[in-house]
Every structure is written in structure tokens, then in C-alpha cells.
């Protein structure tokens, strides 16, 4: 009988304790969900209520931003101290601004936005961590797919731009090569060789005058001075031959520089051709022009070198002949001077 009474007493105590706990939850505290989630297309927020030594709220933010045209998922976490009065929730962080909210087990309404772009009175739905994690993974997968697609689109666009720019550069190089080839063709040495040949002819005629005086059996002082003036004229012509060589050297320097530019542009043209030209819509016609301009450049360079070599050889030979004629004239003058005791 005593054992039976003891069992009944224990059951009564358990029931009373249970009723006491249920009454505390119902009347003395607000019933909260484990967490609350807010979701937009490019924003996912999760608020988790903690109840350790004091009530707190941890908010995790996942936001889609664009970096260099690529969607990227950025995350941040903020912790707030919280006070609950019935269904009113107040958040505070580091003693700064307070945020007010209303909270039930089903819903959290933030009257003051806690993050950029979040509207006032935003409604957050109750969610457990697993539910939030599912939404986070879905957002992450979507952003990853969008990023991969955007990267592909950018790669295609970059390739299109690269090919277009290469095509434009190819055309500019062809035009430059054609123009510079024409400049190279215009580098002639005929003026210098013509002047040199005229100088030689003039020297020869002056030498004949000197020889005429030198072959006389005798001459007076005036004739000797005329002979000497003629030799001086030959000296002026001899000295002027150096100017012709200077002109040739100047043209040669310009020709060498222009040739280097042409060769550099041809190398760049070849490089572009190998990389992208085959991808151009008019590749066949471009190939014909490509071969034609290379042939034009090669011909211009070869002919310019031939003209230079011929011009240098002609001027050098003429200069040598002029020097010899002047040497003959000075020798005759010296002989005449000694012969006639001037």
C-alpha cells in the first residue's frame, strides 16, 4: 500500500513539474524559431537566435556582386545583442545604432534594415539551418553557373575583339608597307651620280686647258696665273666631290632605317597572319594581298640596295678619277712654274 502511494506521489510531481515548465514558455517567454531567412534574387540573409548567457542574433549575409562583369558571391557575418519584450525584438551592435523588429515563431519583421539594399519592414521567414543551407547551396550553384556562362561569353567577345583588332592592324600594316615601299623606291642616287659625272667631265675639260698651257715652250706671267686659276677651279670641284658622298651617306642612312621598319612590319604581319588571319571571313582575298605586299616590300628593298651599291660605286670611281685629274693638273702647274722660273 505504501509503495502504491509512493508511485502516485511521484506521478503527481512529474505532472506538476511539466505544467510549471509549459506555463513558463507560454506566459514568461517569447517562442522563437531556430532561425529566419530572407531571400531576394541576389541576396540571401539568415538570422540565427542564440540564447547562451544572453540573447543574441547572428546574421549571415550572402550577396551577389559583379566584379569585372563576372557575378561573385560575397559573404559576411554580423553579431548583435538582442532584447525581447513579448514579440518586440531590439538589436544593438557595439553600443551603436539600434534596430527594431517584431518576431514570432513563424516570422521576423525588421523595421530597420540591417544591410545595404534591404527595405524597411522586410519579412524573414522561419527556417532551420538545414533549410538555409539548402537555399545557400542553390544560390551558390546558380551564381557559379552564371559566372561560368559569363566567362564563356567574355572569352568569346574578347576573341572576337582580338580578331577584329588583329584584322584592322593587318590592314594598317599592309597600307604602311605599301607606302614605305613607295618611299624606298623614291630613294634614288641618280642626282648624285649625274652631278659626279658632270664634275668629272668639267675636270677633264679644265685639265685640257692646263695641259695646253703646260705644253707651251714658254709662257708669260699672265698665262701662268690663268693656268694657276684653272687648277684652283679644279681644286674647288675636287673638294665638292665630298659633298656628293655626304648626300649619298645621308640617303643611305634613311634607306637603312626605312628598310628596318619594313622588315619589322613584315615580321609583325607574318605573326598576325599565323595567329588570326585564317579566322577572318575574307581570309582568301587577304592571303592574296598578304603575298602581294610581301613581294612588293622584298622587291623594293632589293632594288634600293642595288641602286645604293651602284651609286656608291659610281661616285667612288668618279671621285677617284677627279682626284687623279687634279693630281695631274697640280703636277703640270709645278713643272710650268719651275720651267718658267715663276
Amino acid at each position: 500500500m505504501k509503495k502504491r502511494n509512493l508511485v502516485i506521489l511521484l506521478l503527481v510531481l512529474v505532472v506538476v513539474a511539466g505544467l510549471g515548465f509549459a506555463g513558463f514558455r507560454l506566459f514568461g517567454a517569447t517562442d522563437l524559431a531556430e532561425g529566419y531567412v530572407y531571400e531576394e534574387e541576389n541576396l540571401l540573409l539568415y538570422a540565427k537566435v542564440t540564447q547562451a548567457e544572453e540573447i543574441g542574433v547572428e546574421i549571415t549575409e550572402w550577396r551577389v556582386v559583379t566584379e569585372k562583369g563576372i557575378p561573385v558571391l560575397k559573404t559576411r557575418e554580423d553579431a548583435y545583442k538582442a532584447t525581447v519584450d513579448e514579440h518586440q525584438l531590439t538589436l544593438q551592435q557595439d553600443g551603436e545604432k539600434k534596430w527594431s523588429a517584431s518576431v514570432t515563431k513563424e516570422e521576423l519583421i525588421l523595421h530597420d534594415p540591417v544591410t545595404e539594399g534591404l527595405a524597411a519592414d522586410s519579412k524573414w521567414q522561419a527556417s532551420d539551418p538545414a533549410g538555409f543551407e539548402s537555399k545557400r547551396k542553390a544560390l551558390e550553384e546558380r551564381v557559379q553557373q552564371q559566372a561560368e556562362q559569363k566567362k564563356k561569353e567574355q572569352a568569346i567577345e574578347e576573341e572576337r575583339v582580338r580578331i577584329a583588332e588583329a584584322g584592322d592592324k593587318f590592314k594598317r600594316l599592309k597600307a604602311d608597307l605599301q607606302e614605305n615601299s613607295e618611299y624606298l623606291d623614291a630613294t634614288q642616287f641618280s642626282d648624285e651620280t649625274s652631278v659626279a659625272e658632270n664634275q668629272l667631265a668639267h675636270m677633264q675639260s679644265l685639265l685640257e686647258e692646263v695641259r695646253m698651257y703646260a705644253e707651251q715652250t714658254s709662257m708669260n706671267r699672265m698665262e701662268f696665273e690663268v693656268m694657276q686659276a684653272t687648277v684652283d677651279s679644279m681644286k674647288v670641284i675636287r673638294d665638292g666631290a665630298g659633298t656628293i658622298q655626304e648626300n649619298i651617306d645621308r640617303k643611305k642612312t634613311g634607306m637603312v632605317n626605312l628598310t628596318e621598319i619594313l622588315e619589322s612590319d613584315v615580321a609583325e604581319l607574318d605573326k598576325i597572319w599565323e595567329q588570326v588571319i585564317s579566322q577572318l571571313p575574307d581570309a582568301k582575298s587577304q592571303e592574296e594581298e598578304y603575298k602581294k605586299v610581301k613581294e612588293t616590300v622584298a622587291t623594293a628593298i632589293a632594288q634600293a640596295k642595288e641602286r645604293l651599291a651602284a651609286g656608291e660605286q659610281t661616285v667612288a670611281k668618279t671621285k677617284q678619277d677627279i682626284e687623279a685629274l687634279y693630281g695631274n693638273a697640280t703636277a703640270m702647274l709645278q713643272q710650268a712654274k719651275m720651267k718658267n722660273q715663276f
Side-chain angles (χ1 to χ4, degrees):
M1 185 68 179
K2 290 182 179 181
K3 289 183 178 181
R4 182 181 176 186
N5 291 337
L6 181 59
V7 171
I8 292 173
L9 180 60
L10 291 172
L11 289 174
V12 170
L13 289 174
V14 171
V15 171
V16 170
L19 289 173
F21 177 76
F24 172 79
R25 292 294 297 164
L26 180 61
F27 301 107
T30 301
D31 201 5
L32 302 177
E34 191 173 359
Y36 299 88
V37 67
Y38 178 85
E39 186 176 17
E40 293 182 6
E41 182 180 4
N42 293 319
L43 180 64
L44 181 63
L45 299 168
Y46 183 67
K48 179 182 179 182
V49 181
T50 61
Q51 299 185 50
E53 296 180 0
E54 58 183 1
I55 299 176
V57 175
E58 296 175 355
I59 296 180
T60 303
E61 174 182 301
W62 290 84
R63 183 185 295 271
V64 182
V65 298
T66 302
E67 295 181 352
K68 296 181 179 180
I70 305 296
V72 178
L73 198 57
K74 297 287 187 178
T75 184
R76 57 175 288 185
E77 294 183 357
D78 288 297
Y80 302 85
K81 292 180 180 179
T83 57
V84 181
D85 183 9
E86 291 297 330
H87 293 293
Q88 298 304 308
L89 177 67
T90 301
L91 305 179
Q92 188 173 11
Q93 189 179 57
D94 299 330
E96 296 179 354
K97 178 183 175 182
K98 294 182 179 180
W99 293 266
S100 62
S102 301
V103 64
T104 65
K105 190 173 183 179
E106 292 77 23
E107 188 177 65
L108 169 66
I109 301 176
L110 275 173
H111 304 306
D112 302 316
V114 294
T115 189
E116 180 183 356
L118 187 65
D121 297 324
S122 58
K123 295 183 179 181
W124 303 43
Q125 301 301 317
S127 174
D128 57 15
F132 166 72
E133 183 64 17
S134 176
K135 290 180 179 294
R136 186 197 66 77
K137 286 184 177 180
L139 177 63
E140 189 174 47
E141 290 175 1
R142 175 170 66 83
V143 171
Q144 184 176 355
Q145 291 174 357
Q146 290 176 343
E148 291 176 354
Q149 179 62 30
K150 199 66 179 178
K151 288 177 181 178
K152 290 179 181 178
E153 292 173 359
Q154 286 186 352
I156 292 173
E157 178 62 16
E158 288 173 0
E159 181 67 7
R160 185 195 67 78
V161 171
R162 186 177 73 88
I163 292 173
E165 289 178 347
D168 290 340
K169 186 175 182 180
F170 189 80
K171 292 177 181 178
R172 289 197 304 271
L173 280 172
K174 286 192 303 181
D176 290 345
L177 285 166
Q178 185 66 43
E179 184 177 4
N180 287 332
S181 294
E182 293 173 1
Y183 285 151
L184 193 58
D185 286 336
T187 305
Q188 301 288 333
F189 301 93
S190 55
D191 291 343
E192 287 73 20
T193 56
S194 177
V195 170
E197 290 170 353
N198 288 338
Q199 287 179 337
L200 179 61
H202 193 191
M203 286 285 285
Q204 288 171 337
S205 65
L206 291 176
L207 181 62
E208 290 302 318
E209 293 181 17
V210 172
R211 180 178 287 110
M212 179 185 68
Y213 286 109
E215 291 177 348
Q216 293 181 171
T217 56
S218 64
M219 69 173 65
N220 57 39
R221 184 73 183 183
M222 182 177 293
E223 290 174 329
F224 177 76
E225 290 177 353
V226 171
M227 179 182 181
Q228 188 174 34
T230 304
V231 174
D232 290 340
S233 297
M234 294 179 70
K235 182 178 184 300
V236 172
I237 295 173
R238 192 275 311 261
D239 295 341
T243 303
I244 298 176
Q245 185 61 51
E246 290 175 3
N247 289 342
I248 287 183
D249 291 341
R250 185 170 57 252
K251 286 186 177 182
K252 178 180 180 180
T253 299
M255 189 194 79
V256 170
N257 292 338
L258 193 54
T259 298
E260 290 176 352
I261 292 173
L262 284 167
E263 290 174 344
S264 176
D265 285 350
V266 167
E268 186 67 18
L269 197 72
D270 290 338
K271 184 179 178 181
I272 295 174
W273 177 265
E274 293 174 359
Q275 289 180 347
V276 301
I277 202 65
S278 60
Q279 302 174 44
L280 294 179
D282 56 345
K284 188 173 182 179
S285 60
Q286 290 281 13
E287 183 176 12
E288 294 177 358
E289 295 182 18
Y290 164 67
K291 292 179 179 179
K292 183 178 179 180
V293 75
K294 286 191 65 175
E295 182 179 349
T296 299
V297 170
T299 301
I301 292 175
Q303 291 180 350
K305 289 180 178 179
E306 289 177 1
R307 290 195 303 274
L308 173 62
E312 286 184 319
Q313 183 178 5
T314 298
V315 170
K317 178 65 169 58
T318 303
K319 185 178 179 182
Q320 183 180 1
D321 291 343
I322 288 175
E323 192 68 41
L325 293 175
Y326 177 69
N328 292 337
T330 55
M332 291 179 188
L333 180 65
Q334 187 63 26
Q335 290 173 2
K337 182 177 182 181
M338 293 176 63
K339 177 181 177 181
N340 295 281
Q341 300 295 313
F342 293 128

